[in-house]
Amino acid sequence: MSRLQVVSGKGGTGKTTVAAALALALATEGKRALLVEVEGRQGIAQLFETEALPYEERKIAVAPGGGEVYALAIDAERALLDYLQMFYKLGGAGRALKKLGAIDFATTIAPGLRDVLLTGKACEAVRRRDKQNRYAYDYVVMDAPPTGRITRFLNVNDEVAGLAKFGPIHNQAQAVMRVLKSPETAVHLVTLLEEMPVQETADGIAELRAAELPVGNVIVNMVRPHLLDEDALRTAAGERRTAVAKALSQAGLGGARRGGLAERLVDPLLEQAAEHAQRVELEREQRAVLARLDLATYELPLLGEGMDLAGLYRLAKELRTRLAPGGTS
Amino acid sequence: MTVSGTDTGTDSNTATSTGATTGDDAMAATPALDIDPLLDDPATRIIVCCGAGGVGKTTTAAALGVRAAERGRKVVVLTIDPARRLAQSMGIDELDNTPRRVKGIDETAGGELSAMMLDMKRTFDEIVEAHADAERARAILENPFYQSLSAGFAGTQEYMAMEKLGQLRARDEWDLIVVDTPPSRSALDFLDAPKRLGSFLDGKFIRVLMAPAKVGGRAGMKFLNVGMSMMTGTLSKLMGGQLLRDVQTFVAAMDTMFGGFRTRADATYRLLQAPGTAFLVVAAPERDALREAAYFVERLAAEEMPFAGLVLNRVHGSGAPQLSAERALAAAENLDEGGIVDQGAGNAGVRDSSAPSPTAEPTPDETSDSQGGSEGQSGTRTVEQLTAGLLRLHAERMHVLAREQRTRDRFTALHPEVAVTEVAALPGDVHDLAGLRAIADRLAAREAVEPVEYDRSDQPVG
């Protein structure tokens, strides 16, 4: 199991939720996982129903079995100042740079520097060891930018290393790239069983592979159960209308005669069934596309009541059972 | 209530059949967003679609473009990063940074539609070429720092989208421009772009960066004081001398162009604030998307941007809102039992039978298994199974409706003044003009998807 788990996915597929559930799932048996947010949206705080996260690693959840999940919302500016302090002891000069607008320039305008800082901080957490020389975190899970930007985001250090051909930025970028391109890292893509997200997932995987970044799994989120099989759906059309009306009536939903309460339900119910059938067919096609990607695929159910903390723990449980058998190191 | 004979359970059936009004007045008070008057008004010159990723922003922009063109406007749609098949549906799968006429539009009303996809690097290069002499332009275009910057790191997309919008407006060939916004980390970054550029250009940092180049350029002007040289020393140490030199060369070469950059960025910002612009916030009835939408609404207000309303995509409806989820599930269970145990009068045990809690996961496998097993058996059992399946499906739909209603109510409670138009969910994705038209019809439909009364018991406990 790679120690840096990067979770990306098209917007709206629930990658923050999946990242959080994954962190909970990995934090078993006393293990420690750090959940990292890089886009400043405070999605993790909202998910865990806590106040906005500061730029500091703090415990936000205890997993079943005693594991711990820490969370960190990385702020590029603070990360840069930290970095300056850590490597150059630039306390005063750091402040002067900030006053000049250099920090602002570096974190918002300078190409890629912001992404260097974000990935750099995550990799630092991966490599960090405590006094007993044990890893500070068993796993670091990153709620990463969306699929469309993930390759560029992770690969930024390569680009920067090319831009700054030597010097400290160059060295830092290279060190980060060594972690990101190693088996220590796995990049997962979250998708829905819909055409656009699946297409984006396929494109994203091709890009990641081309950039030699380690692709992990595809996680299909919000999978809805198929409540009717196809045979049933075919029968649903036409000639069974009267029989369905009778059955509805028998179940206590009103009269089966023309205009009766049960009879009036038949058309809308069959229409919903037809839509369902169409969706089932589309999902079948999308599953086939995903199968061709030749990657392990996990499915997570749609939680009917919407996402809340209880739902998050449920998803974590789902992920844990799936991770358990294949949990190679 | 008096309709039929066998309906022993009508009471709870009719309890909800008042249907069309919602339990919450919040939604009823929500003003409707009328799309057609907005598209038809010649004073509307720019429509900006913004919203979180994955809510159908680009599709909405394209659908608005198609509709406006077929209603007689000369429209150009500027998309930032369209899904491939959506781009193909408008015939703009080549990324050449120029508006292309979309074929297949009904132009009888005198309108037309063009569409283009933003090419960041091309846009940036064009600015350089247009505003610098040939030699300087070449120096900039070949600068490694520039090449990385223009290839699309965070931020560049927002500047270039605004730049392109300004260019399209200045050409004055179209009377309506529909813009899709970049899928940025904060989707309103494009509003900050001009200010950010301004603060950088006004800042001391740029002077520090440019100082050595200037000294080199104008020998003898030794205005570089000790503090400055210390600072460049620090920068050099941090960035490496070669990168710092690249940046310095870039900044020096761009020096003459910066003023123009800022002037245009400011002009575009003012253009966005002008009355001819309409911002539409696009969202789906999901918690996160609506939370982002609320943020956009507040942010647009703070920036004094003309906000027209909210487009709520992918809203579900049901043709049988009078049948609640609980009742549908109870009836389904009843039918299942009826199929196994011979139980003529069906409803006897409904009230206290432990119907699965509405939020519990249905059991699709059992359903389909038993259906598979029942092949070849007598028809009645299959019909009961089928009907039970239809009812479970309906229960699921009603739960979706209830959830969407709750998230919408939450938004409406925060922003009761926001005009909303709802777009009913389509089962599949859009690939062609017909699909875009269908979306546009739904966008412009005056009736909202009927709000459905849901049982309070649908609410999660706590």
Side-chain angles (χ1 to χ4, degrees):
Chain A
M1 198 75 195
S2 305
R3 291 187 49 247
L4 175 58
Q5 305 267 323
V6 179
V7 180
S8 178
K10 182 172 159 53
T13 56
K15 66 185 168 58
T16 302
T17 308
V18 171
L22 184 60
L24 271 175
L26 291 170
T28 47
E29 293 151 30
K31 290 214 163 61
R32 275 155 60 108
L34 176 67
L35 180 57
V36 166
E37 177 164 58
V38 297
E39 296 216 289
R41 290 187 299 120
Q42 289 293 340
I44 293 175
Q46 282 158 4
L47 206 52
F48 284 92
E49 296 164 16
T50 63
E51 66 218 57
L53 295 170
Y55 179 66
E56 142 192 326
E57 291 159 36
R58 62 162 59 168
K59 186 155 81 179
I60 52 161
V62 175
E68 293 172 328
V69 177
Y70 285 72
L72 170 68
I74 304 182
D75 175 272
E77 187 181 314
R78 293 280 307 276
L80 179 57
L81 291 173
D82 262 15
Y83 170 84
L84 294 178
Q85 184 56 33
M86 200 180 333
F87 291 96
Y88 305 102
K89 310 278 179 268
L90 275 184
R95 274 195 300 280
L97 283 172
K98 187 175 163 71
K99 226 170 145 190
L100 264 180
I103 301 289
D104 202 33
F105 171 83
T107 54
T108 59
I109 297 177
L113 219 70
R114 183 189 178 86
D115 293 353
V116 170
L117 291 164
L118 298 173
T119 50
K121 181 72 191 168
C123 288
E124 183 269 321
V126 171
R127 287 175 302 186
R128 193 189 313 154
R129 290 174 188 270
D130 61 16
K131 291 194 183 77
Q132 286 80 43
N133 203 32
R134 285 179 315 217
Y135 283 122
Y137 294 102
D138 298 286
Y139 297 103
V140 175
V141 180
M142 184 197 282
D143 175 17
T147 320
R149 295 204 299 117
I150 185 66
T151 302
R152 193 166 198 109
F153 174 78
L154 295 175
N155 231 13
V156 65
N157 290 282
D158 249 7
E159 191 134 357
V160 167
L163 214 55
K165 295 189 181 62
F166 46 83
I169 291 186
H170 176 85
N171 297 341
Q172 160 75 0
Q174 292 256 299
V176 170
M177 247 17 246
R178 273 197 296 276
V179 174
L180 292 179
K181 289 199 167 171
S182 75
E184 280 287 85
T185 300
V187 185
H188 309 297
L189 294 180
V190 183
T191 185
L192 307 178
L193 281 178
E194 290 169 15
E195 197 177 325
M196 276 200 244
V198 166
Q199 183 59 51
E200 228 176 78
T201 301
D203 293 349
I205 287 167
E207 280 176 31
L208 286 168
R209 282 176 174 161
E212 293 170 10
L213 288 161
V215 183
N217 310 118
V218 172
I219 298 161
V220 184
N221 197 17
M222 302 187 214
V223 175
R224 289 182 286 180
H226 290 170
L227 295 174
L228 279 176
D229 70 9
E230 259 173 300
D231 287 345
L233 289 170
R234 261 195 296 278
T235 5
E239 77 265 33
R240 293 296 180 93
R241 294 196 72 246
T242 324
V244 169
K246 273 192 187 136
L248 287 171
S249 179
Q250 188 195 331
L253 295 177
R257 282 170 307 179
R258 204 173 167 70
L261 285 181
E263 197 269 346
R264 292 209 311 253
L265 287 173
V266 176
D267 278 337
L269 291 187
L270 289 180
E271 195 184 312
Q272 283 170 191
E275 285 171 21
H276 180 76
Q278 203 177 342
R279 202 192 81 208
V280 170
E281 181 52 34
L282 283 170
E283 291 186 356
R284 186 195 317 281
E285 289 167 16
Q286 298 314 316
R287 275 205 176 86
V289 175
L290 289 177
R292 284 198 291 276
L293 296 174
D294 207 19
L295 286 172
T297 301
Y298 301 136
E299 296 202 352
L300 292 175
L302 173 74
L303 302 179
E305 64 273 35
M307 208 46 229
D308 58 10
L309 207 49
L312 191 62
Y313 275 84
R314 253 188 75 197
L315 292 184
K317 203 173 150 199
E318 294 270 350
L319 275 173
R320 192 173 299 164
T321 55
R322 282 169 173 79
L323 294 174
T328 52
S329 57
Chain B
M1 211 185 239
T2 54
V3 189
S4 68
T6 55
D7 50 350
T8 42
T10 2
D11 47 353
S12 61
N13 230 354
T14 39
T16 53
S17 65
T18 41
T21 53
T22 77
D24 268 13
D25 317 48
M27 216 40 213
T30 301
L33 171 62
D34 248 341
I35 289 292
D36 283 341
L38 181 69
L39 295 181
D40 292 345
D41 185 352
T44 310
R45 302 297 303 273
I46 295 172
I47 294 177
V48 184
C49 298
C50 46
V55 295
K57 209 168 24 185
T58 310
T59 310
T60 302
L64 288 171
V66 171
R67 189 168 185 92
E70 300 197 330
R71 293 174 72 87
R73 305 286 307 265
K74 282 189 72 178
V75 191
V76 61
V77 174
L78 169 59
T79 69
I80 309 296
D81 188 17
R84 196 181 306 156
R85 291 184 72 173
L86 179 67
Q88 283 167 355
S89 74
M90 293 193 294
I92 50 161
D93 40 341
E94 2 162 18
L95 193 130
D96 64 355
N97 215 27
T98 327
R100 297 281 167 202
R101 189 78 167 263
V102 177
K103 297 186 192 74
I105 293 291
D106 176 3
E107 296 180 350
T108 50
E112 60 173 64
L113 177 65
S114 299
M116 70 163 287
M117 218 191 294
L118 179 75
D119 178 340
M120 273 178 294
K121 178 150 180 53
R122 198 60 232 132
T123 305
F124 210 151
D125 289 356
E126 280 165 10
I127 299 171
V128 171
E129 284 159 359
H131 293 92
D133 57 69
E135 194 189 336
R136 196 181 275 262
R138 196 171 45 78
I140 295 171
L141 296 180
E142 285 172 1
N143 183 289
F145 183 82
Y146 169 78
Q147 287 173 357
S148 286
L149 182 72
S150 61
F153 278 111
T156 316
Q157 212 173 27
E158 285 76 23
Y159 288 108
M160 291 308 131
M162 287 300 101
E163 174 70 28
K164 201 70 199 177
L165 173 62
Q167 284 178 14
L168 290 174
R169 186 68 175 77
R171 277 169 71 175
D172 213 22
E173 282 174 44
W174 298 276
D175 56 40
L176 177 64
I177 304 170
V178 183
V179 206
D180 166 30
T181 50
S184 23
R185 65 194 79 210
S186 144
L188 284 183
D189 272 3
F190 66 93
L191 289 177
D192 298 326
K195 268 186 226 150
R196 206 185 275 165
L197 188 63
S199 77
F200 169 61
L201 296 178
D202 287 335
K204 294 185 204 121
F205 185 54
I206 192 164
R207 291 206 296 278
V208 175
L209 282 177
M210 284 167 60
K214 279 199 174 149
V215 168
R218 305 173 209 173
M221 274 190 66
K222 299 200 172 183
F223 68 86
L224 198 64
N225 63 37
V226 181
M228 286 269 195
S229 74
M230 255 176 64
M231 205 40 84
T232 43
T234 307
L235 284 172
S236 178
K237 190 170 147 201
L238 284 176
M239 301 165 76
Q242 158 262 334
L243 174 57
L244 181 62
R245 270 193 305 283
D246 282 346
V247 173
Q248 285 171 333
T249 321
F250 168 73
V251 171
M254 293 286 283
D255 185 24
T256 49
M257 296 175 51
F258 280 137
F261 255 115
R262 178 154 36 157
T263 311
R264 280 197 310 283
D266 286 345
T268 309
Y269 188 82
R270 281 196 305 276
L271 189 63
L272 290 175
Q273 278 181 328
T277 301
F279 278 86
L280 291 176
V281 172
V282 185
E286 288 147 19
R287 196 181 57 171
D288 290 352
L290 274 172
R291 186 160 41 210
E292 295 261 301
Y295 165 74
F296 291 149
V297 169
E298 286 153 23
R299 191 60 217 284
L300 288 171
E303 302 280 336
E304 292 172 28
M305 293 288 166
F307 170 59
L310 176 75
V311 173
L312 201 52
N313 272 331
R314 300 191 199 131
V315 175
H316 289 86
S318 170
Q322 70 275 21
L323 179 61
S324 73
E326 290 68 38
R327 204 158 155 67
L329 283 176
E333 180 133 317
N334 191 354
L335 282 170
D336 287 343
E337 283 166 10
I340 299 158
V341 189
D342 187 8
Q343 192 185 330
N347 353 328
V350 172
R351 288 281 166 225
D352 39 35
S353 84
S354 54
S357 97
T359 50
E361 195 132 12
T363 51
D365 295 341
E366 287 167 32
T367 315
S368 47
D369 281 352
S370 53
Q371 263 163 7
S374 71
E375 267 176 45
Q377 287 186 25
S378 74
T380 37
R381 173 143 161 69
T382 317
V383 164
E384 280 167 352
Q385 288 290 341
L386 167 67
T387 308
L390 290 174
L391 287 166
R392 291 210 167 86
L393 206 53
H394 178 71
E396 189 207 30
R397 176 67 67 93
M398 293 307 284
H399 285 141
V400 170
L401 257 64
R403 195 176 67 232
E404 290 181 351
Q405 179 80 57
R406 281 199 301 275
T407 47
R408 262 168 16 184
D409 286 349
R410 208 171 298 155
F411 177 86
T412 310
L414 281 173
H415 296 285
E417 76 291 353
V418 172
V420 182
T421 181
E422 293 176 3
V423 183
L426 287 173
D429 282 340
V430 172
H431 309 126
D432 51 19
L433 287 178
L436 289 176
R437 274 188 204 106
I439 295 275
D441 285 345
R442 289 164 187 233
L443 262 168
R446 302 204 50 152
E447 280 154 62
V449 174
E450 219 163 67
V452 171
E453 172 146 335
Y454 53 87
D455 279 35
R456 292 291 145 184
S457 50
D458 277 356
Q459 308 240 25
V461 185

